[in-house]
Amino acid sequence: MTDRLSSYGYAFQIKIITALMTDRIFLQQISDILVPSYFESDANNWIVTTILEYQKDYNASPTLEVMKVKLHEVDQDVLKTQVVQHLKEAWKFADSDDLQFIKQQTIDFCKNQEIKKAILSSVDLLNTGRYDEIKSKIDNALKAGADKHIGHDYLVDIDARYTDTIRDTKETPWEVINDMTSGGLGKGELGVFVAAAGIGKSWGLINIGAHAVKKGMTVIHYTLELNSEYVGLRYDSVMTGIPNQNLRHYQDQVKEELAKLKGELIIKYYPTKSTSVIGLRGHIEKCIMQGKKPDIVIVDYADLLRGHGTEKRHELEGIYEDLRGLAGEYEIPVWTASQANRSALEEDVIGAEKIAESYGKVMVADFVISLSRKVQDKLAGTGRWHVIKNRFGPDGITLPSNMNTSTGQINIYTDTSILGKDAKKQMENGNELARRMLTQKYKEINNNDFE
C-alpha cells in the first residue's frame, strides 16, 4: 500500500483540495487523519497545511480571499506561482459530479493509513504483552475519519445560518412567486401545482422548465401523460412565443431561437403508471453518467406515477414522500402537479380541500399553488393562482394572471400592481363576454323555436 496519493493522479489530488475548501463537514471529518505529506507536490502540501491550520483555528473552510492573504507569507516565487495555479484549478472543479466519490476515496485512504500505522506500532507492544494498548490503538484507528458532524450546533454555528448556501434556490419565471418563497425552490424541496383537468397545470410546469433552461440550467422533464415530442412542441411555443398550431410554419425561426439557449432540457416519457420514483432515480443516474446532472426535475404529474400501498390515499402519499426524498438525495428542487377534484371547476379559488384523493400531498410539499379558470377566464385569457401552502413566506394569497393558451405563456402578478389590476379587469371583461355569449345563444334557440 502506498503512503502517498500519487497513485491516484494529479487531478484526484486537486479535487481533494476542492472538497476541503467547499465542504466544511468533510474538512471537519478528515482533519485529524489527513497528512499534508500524502500529497506529492510542494504546492499541494502547502495548500493542505494552510487549510488544516485554518480549520483548527476557525472551524471553517478557508475562502479564496483567505488563501490570497496567506500567500503573502510564501517567499519562494516558484512555489507561490504553483500554489496560485493549483488553487485556480481546484476552484474549477467546484461543480464536479464526482466530488462525493473523491471524498469517500480520500477518507478510505487516510483510514487505511491510520490502521497501517497502528499495526506497525503494535509490534513492540505485542512483544511485551501489552494487549490492552494494542486494542486501544486498533480501535482508535478504526474510528478514524468517522463523521463528527452531530448536527447544527445552534450556539456555535451562528454564521452558518446566514450564508447564501442555506437555501440555494432556483427561481421561477414569476417575480411575485420568487418574492414569496425567498428566491424560488431550493435543494430538496417539492413544489406542487394544483388544478382541475384541462386548466393549465402542465403549462405552468413547462413555464418553470423553460425559464430554467433560459437561465443556463439543466432540466429533466418527466411526462406521464403527453408524449415527449408533443411536450417538446409546447416548450417551443413558450420559448419562442409562436402559437402551438403555427409552429410547423416557423421551424427555421424556432431553431434560431433555441440556438441561443444556455441550458439543456431532457424530456422523458413514461406511460401512465408504468414507472415509480425508483424508475426516475435510475434515469437521473443515467443522465448524470452522461454529464447531464439536473438542476431542476419536473414531473408531470406525480399522481400518474406507480406507487405502493393498498389504498389510493396511502399510495399517493407514498409517491409524494418519495419525490421529496429524491429532491433531497440529489439536492435539487422538484416541481410536479396534482389533480383537483371535479367540483373545483366551479370555484373562483381552489383551496386544499379540493385536492383529489389525498390531503397528505399538501403535508409533504413545501410550496403548493392552485390554478382556477372558469369559462369566463378562458374567454378572457386569465386565471387565479392561490397559494395554499408556503413554508418560506405568506400563504392564503390569491394572485391574478394572464394566460395565453396558444403559446403557453403565463404571467402572474400581485393584485396591487398595474399589470395585476389590468388582469382583474380582463377577468371582469370575461364575465361580460360570457354573459353576451349566453344571451346570443338564448336568442338563437328562441329564433329556432319559432321557425
Side-chain angles (χ1 to χ4, degrees):
M1 184 197 311
T2 179
D3 292 336
R4 303 188 79 184
L5 290 161
S6 55
S7 61
Y8 289 86
Y10 173 76
F12 187 97
Q13 295 175 65
I14 290 295
K15 288 182 179 181
I16 295 175
I17 293 172
T18 304
L20 293 172
M21 294 186 66
T22 58
D23 189 336
R24 183 174 65 90
I25 304 303
F26 170 66
L27 174 57
Q28 185 182 56
Q29 181 178 353
I30 204 171
S31 59
D32 293 339
I33 59 174
L34 181 63
V35 180
S37 61
Y38 290 160
F39 293 80
E40 59 180 327
S41 77
D42 292 338
N44 285 346
N45 193 311
W46 183 91
I47 293 170
V48 173
T49 299
T50 303
I51 292 173
L52 293 175
E53 289 176 351
Y54 188 87
Q55 192 276 336
K56 183 179 179 180
D57 292 337
Y58 301 100
N59 192 30
S61 300
T63 63
L64 280 179
E65 286 71 23
V66 170
M67 299 301 284
K68 288 177 183 177
V69 172
K70 291 289 185 181
L71 265 173
H72 293 312
E73 302 172 6
V74 179
D75 54 8
Q76 300 177 37
D77 292 338
V78 174
L79 177 60
K80 183 179 291 188
T81 301
Q82 291 177 341
V83 168
V84 170
Q85 182 62 34
H86 289 198
L87 285 173
K88 286 180 179 179
E89 292 181 11
W91 207 249
K92 290 178 182 178
F93 289 124
D95 294 323
S96 182
D97 292 332
D98 61 355
L99 285 182
Q100 194 62 40
F101 172 81
I102 299 291
K103 288 184 278 190
Q104 188 57 56
Q105 290 292 309
T106 306
I107 290 171
D108 290 344
F109 172 85
C110 292
K111 287 180 69 173
N112 287 335
Q113 295 302 313
E114 292 299 308
I115 293 170
K116 181 180 177 181
K117 292 175 187 175
I119 293 172
L120 292 174
S121 64
S122 297
V123 174
D124 291 338
L125 297 175
L126 182 64
N127 293 331
T128 56
R130 294 153 67 182
Y131 302 115
D132 288 341
E133 291 184 45
I134 293 173
K135 181 179 182 301
S136 177
K137 279 183 175 291
I138 299 299
D139 286 346
N140 289 335
L142 290 172
K143 293 176 184 176
D147 188 356
K148 301 179 181 67
H149 184 60
I150 58 174
H152 180 77
D153 191 331
Y154 180 73
L155 297 180
V156 175
D157 298 330
I158 298 173
D159 291 339
R161 293 197 288 275
Y162 294 92
T163 63
D164 293 335
T165 57
I166 296 303
R167 281 189 72 232
D168 180 15
T169 55
K170 309 298 183 187
E171 65 181 41
T172 75
W174 309 294
E175 186 176 344
V176 59
I177 301 298
N178 296 332
D179 289 342
M180 295 178 70
T181 56
S182 297
L185 282 193
K187 297 176 180 179
E189 295 168 3
L190 179 64
V192 182
F193 288 119
V194 177
I199 295 300
K201 54 185 180 292
S202 293
W203 280 118
L205 292 174
I206 288 172
N207 273 256
I208 293 280
H211 181 77
V213 174
K214 289 178 180 178
K215 291 293 183 179
M217 298 181 222
T218 297
V219 177
I220 300 181
H221 185 120
Y222 294 106
T223 170
L224 295 103
E225 199 169 33
L226 304 171
N227 67 55
S228 55
E229 289 76 18
Y230 188 76
V231 173
L233 288 171
R234 287 190 163 194
Y235 268 98
D236 289 345
S237 286
V238 174
M239 296 286 194
T240 65
I242 300 171
N244 200 256
Q245 63 271 23
N246 297 338
L247 285 170
R248 66 176 63 251
H249 305 299
Y250 296 91
Q251 293 183 45
D252 291 339
Q253 185 177 334
V254 170
K255 292 176 182 177
E256 184 180 336
E257 289 297 318
L258 298 190
K260 301 174 185 176
L261 295 176
K262 302 175 183 178
E264 291 188 83
L265 172 64
I266 306 297
I267 304 170
K268 177 64 175 175
Y269 168 69
Y270 289 103
T272 300
K273 294 293 182 182
S274 68
T275 194
S276 63
V277 175
I278 293 175
L280 303 188
R281 184 179 285 107
H283 181 263
I284 291 173
E285 286 294 335
K286 189 184 299 183
C287 291
I288 291 174
M289 289 175 62
Q290 296 182 28
K292 298 181 184 295
K293 185 180 186 300
D295 297 297
I296 291 179
V297 164
I298 295 170
V299 182
D300 188 13
Y301 55 97
D303 296 25
L304 301 181
L305 287 167
R306 188 175 71 245
H308 46 80
T310 54
E311 292 185 30
K312 180 76 171 177
R313 174 170 57 88
H314 294 151
E315 179 187 12
L316 288 171
E317 287 179 12
I319 289 171
Y320 278 76
E321 288 169 355
D322 290 346
L323 264 186
R324 197 172 191 281
L326 181 142
E329 180 179 349
Y330 291 101
E331 297 186 327
I332 53 174
V334 173
W335 285 93
T336 188
S338 180
Q339 196 87 335
N341 57 36
R342 194 176 303 171
S343 63
L345 287 167
E346 302 303 320
E347 299 291 335
D348 284 336
V349 172
I350 299 174
E353 73 283 355
K354 298 296 181 180
I355 297 178
E357 301 292 350
S358 173
Y359 184 76
K361 303 172 190 177
V362 177
M363 297 173 65
V364 173
D366 298 281
F367 182 76
V368 184
I369 188 168
S370 66
L371 170 61
S372 172
R373 295 180 70 220
K374 300 170 77 171
V375 173
Q376 50 268 44
D377 289 306
K378 292 183 177 182
L379 292 170
T382 56
R384 295 173 181 81
W385 297 82
H386 180 72
V387 181
I388 295 174
K389 179 182 180 181
N390 181 12
R391 291 191 196 273
F392 319 109
D395 55 23
I397 297 172
T398 303
L399 306 167
S401 74
N402 292 123
M403 296 183 62
N404 185 334
T405 51
S406 64
T407 63
Q409 294 175 331
I410 298 171
N411 296 301
I412 305 176
Y413 315 105
T414 61
D415 58 359
T416 56
S417 66
I418 295 174
L419 293 174
K421 291 176 180 177
D422 288 342
K424 292 173 77 172
K425 286 181 181 179
Q426 285 181 263
M427 290 179 189
E428 295 170 2
N429 292 336
N431 290 332
E432 177 61 23
L433 184 56
R435 187 189 66 77
R436 290 178 183 175
M437 289 180 65
L438 288 172
T439 300
Q440 181 63 31
K441 191 67 177 176
Y442 177 76
K443 289 179 180 179
E444 291 175 1
I445 294 172
N446 283 340
N447 290 336
N448 289 336
D449 287 341
F450 285 107
E451 289 179 356

